[in-house]
Amino acid sequence: MEISEIASELLEKGEVSLIIGYDKKGYPCFIKDKEETKRLVFNEGCFNNLSVYLTRIKEKCAIVAKPCDVKSIIGLIQENQIKREDVVIIGVTCPGLNLKKCLSCDCQNPSFCDYTIGEKIGEKEKMDKFAEIIEFEKKNPRERWNYFKNEFSRCIRCYACRQVCPLCYCETCIVDVSIPQWISKANSSSSNFIFHITRALHLAGRCVGCGECERVCPMNIPLSLLNLKIEKDVFELFDYTPGKDVDLKPPFQTFKKGDYNEFIG
Ligand code: SF4
Ligand code: SF4
Ligand code: SF4
């Protein structure tokens, strides 16, 4: 079946009142009328992770999701931000788009969905996801510090990285709180640094590596490198990969007796 046929059927039966998908230009589109469902496609230009809209929509909907986007839907369910029964997942198989993250992508077929569109895709050769950060870790602490200091000093604090992130769903972000003001709104090197470190830590054990934050950054700041470092640490310390299994508890929601706790002293 095509996406449009499934969407049309879901709307007609009243199972959902909204479909979130892509149009032929790859732009997000929101369909409520079954006559409009023919606009829905999936092609090599469908970069956006549409799950970012799920926490902003208060009605039962269906969403077109690439296998990597399904990971953030799993994250939102684990964090009780959406209910599984309130979202119909139309998964699409994905051979990889022209994005950096696709080179090391480990999922071409959606594993957690209600419908699957597209032929099953066989295993393909992929880069080691952590290769870039393993290389970066070889730098000494001063070099690493300077690297990120320089990168973050270019940030214009547009917050596009936060807005596009499906897991940055806080009603009021820490940077927007004025009393007390945890992070200065000034676009200075030090406050930029604090913003990015804070955001990365808020995403620890939660960031699914969808790469949206880096993709939309107008200053091409390598945000994924920091996310990757945290993902690698969480994997090594807690044996956990975000977005993989909806039935697992993320590290911040549970504990195991043998958990790393040297930081407690
Ligand atoms: S890669 Fe970026 S946008 Fe995607 S979940 Fe992680 S922090 Fe959010
Ligand atoms: S940066 Fe932190 S406080 Fe701000 S939206 Fe993201 S998770 Fe919430
Ligand atoms: S999208 Fe880029 S420039 Fe904008 S706040 Fe995020 S890192 Fe800074």
Side-chain angles (χ1 to χ4, degrees):
M1 268 174 112
E2 297 288 320
I3 299 174
S4 55
E5 290 172 72
I6 293 167
S8 177
E9 205 173 288
L10 288 170
L11 287 172
E12 187 165 16
K13 288 185 180 162
E15 287 181 31
V16 301
S17 53
L18 173 72
I19 313 282
I20 309 171
Y22 304 95
D23 69 14
K24 64 175 189 237
K25 287 187 175 165
Y27 295 152
C29 69
F30 303 84
I31 306 274
K32 283 182 157 268
D33 179 349
K34 83 181 181 67
E35 302 305 322
E36 292 272 307
T37 54
K38 37 188 152 333
R39 287 175 56 206
L40 292 163
V41 296
F42 178 68
N43 60 35
E44 64 284 354
C46 297
F47 300 136
N48 296 53
N49 179 352
L50 302 175
S51 69
V52 69
Y53 299 112
L54 291 177
T55 45
R56 298 167 192 181
I57 284 164
K58 304 287 174 223
E59 57 192 302
K60 202 166 170 185
C61 65
I63 183 167
V64 178
K66 303 187 287 296
C68 54
D69 304 338
V70 169
K71 294 180 183 179
S72 44
I73 300 176
I74 288 176
L76 291 171
I77 295 170
Q78 285 172 314
E79 295 182 11
N80 296 319
Q81 295 306 307
I82 54 171
K83 290 197 179 117
R84 177 67 185 95
E85 58 272 26
D86 285 345
V87 58
V88 175
I89 305 170
I90 306 173
V92 287
T93 62
C94 177
L97 311 177
N98 191 15
L99 292 168
K100 185 175 132 198
K101 66 170 178 175
C102 300
L103 298 173
S104 58
C105 177
D106 58 0
C107 52
Q108 274 64 59
N109 304 289
S111 55
F112 180 77
C113 57
D114 300 290
Y115 299 91
T116 303
I117 307 288
E119 293 293 314
K120 189 168 184 221
I121 298 173
E123 279 282 303
K124 62 168 194 171
E125 210 174 301
K126 48 190 172 279
M127 273 172 47
D128 174 9
K129 178 165 70 163
F130 294 135
E132 192 184 1
I133 192 64
I134 289 170
E135 203 46 45
F136 186 79
E137 283 172 339
K138 291 179 186 159
K139 293 181 190 289
N140 68 42
R142 176 56 54 191
E143 288 171 326
R144 297 198 297 255
W145 174 269
N146 285 339
Y147 176 83
F148 277 112
K149 197 171 144 211
N150 287 337
E151 290 295 340
F152 293 152
S153 69
R154 297 191 295 110
C155 171
I156 56 172
R157 298 285 283 275
C158 66
Y159 301 131
C161 50
R162 176 194 68 182
Q163 292 308 108
V164 83
C165 175
L167 279 316
C168 259
Y169 51 69
C170 302
E171 272 179 32
T172 309
C173 173
I174 190 166
V175 283
D176 295 327
V177 177
S178 303
I179 307 173
Q181 189 175 64
W182 301 104
I183 302 173
S184 163
K185 294 183 192 342
N187 185 6
S188 67
S189 182
S190 60
S191 57
N192 290 357
F193 209 107
I194 295 169
F195 164 56
H196 286 292
I197 295 292
T198 304
R199 183 169 175 276
L201 289 174
H202 286 185
L203 271 299
R206 305 174 59 231
C207 166
V208 291
C210 70
E212 285 292 87
C213 46
E214 183 169 307
R215 182 180 72 82
V216 301
C217 176
M219 303 307 289
N220 294 319
I221 294 172
L223 298 166
S224 294
L225 196 57
L226 192 54
N227 297 335
L228 210 54
K229 168 65 179 157
I230 296 185
E231 184 183 337
K232 180 169 168 285
D233 284 354
V234 167
F235 179 69
E236 288 171 354
L237 294 170
F238 302 106
D239 191 21
Y240 180 80
T241 302
K244 226 174 163 181
D245 184 345
V246 77
D247 296 319
L248 282 183
K249 288 244 180 246
F252 276 117
Q253 289 183 25
T254 187
F255 69 94
K256 293 185 202 136
K257 271 192 177 169
D259 276 348
Y260 169 79
N261 66 0
E262 283 168 33
F263 55 92
I264 293 172

